[in-house]
Amino acid sequence: MQTTWTPHEKHGRLTAQSDLPDTVYAFPKQRKEPLTDAEHVRNAIARFDQVTGVSDDERALAFANIEKAAKHYDVDLSETSWRDLGAHPQRNRKQTAAKAVATKRKGGQLKKDAAKGAATRKSQRKA
């Protein structure tokens, strides 16, 4: 499988995800799972089975891109196939998320999280 991933050498602050070229994504056509550093590579591995709307060929390409990025950033990858990472998105994801929100709302955590997020955005605007 021919990979499409290349290291992203641009340094500095990115203003938006659109500043990244397609070549830094595990799934370049969908622009999903950026592989810009070791942390993002590990995140792409962990979330591989959460990507929806892609074919087996696109998963194979994404795995090849992840392998190449993992080697570049010295990330240990024990999996040898994309099938080891999971082929299907998690079932009942929406229902599970809705249940989590209901639990947070009941315990008052939802309001605390919303207030914390608003404070963070406000401080970022000042900076």
Side-chain angles (χ1 to χ4, degrees):
M1 168 74 44
Q2 182 68 27
T3 63
T4 59
W5 182 82
T6 58
H8 187 60
E9 300 299 331
K10 179 180 174 184
H11 296 285
R13 186 180 163 131
L14 296 174
T15 57
Q17 185 178 8
S18 62
D19 290 347
L20 293 173
D22 292 346
T23 57
V24 301
Y25 291 92
F27 294 90
K29 186 175 171 184
Q30 296 80 10
R31 295 180 59 85
K32 293 182 179 180
E33 304 297 345
L35 305 170
T36 55
D37 55 28
E39 184 177 341
H40 280 93
V41 172
R42 287 188 287 275
N43 192 34
I45 293 166
R47 299 181 185 280
F48 190 85
D49 68 338
Q50 296 176 4
V51 177
T52 59
V54 294
S55 68
D56 287 355
D57 289 339
E58 290 168 324
R59 287 192 185 280
L61 172 62
F63 184 75
N65 288 334
I66 290 171
E67 278 184 312
K68 187 175 178 182
K71 184 175 182 180
H72 179 80
Y73 294 117
D74 292 325
V75 174
D76 291 329
L77 183 64
S78 60
E79 294 82 3
T80 58
S81 166
W82 66 268
R83 287 177 172 81
D84 296 337
L85 295 175
H88 304 287
Q90 296 172 350
R91 290 177 170 75
N92 305 319
R93 202 166 60 177
K94 288 183 180 180
Q95 294 87 343
T96 303
K99 186 177 178 182
V101 168
T103 302
K104 282 186 171 186
R105 183 174 287 130
K106 186 176 180 181
Q109 189 63 39
L110 199 61
K111 285 185 179 180
K112 292 176 189 173
D113 289 349
K116 185 177 177 182
T120 300
R121 287 188 297 277
K122 185 177 180 180
S123 68
Q124 287 175 344
R125 278 180 275 181
K126 288 182 180 180

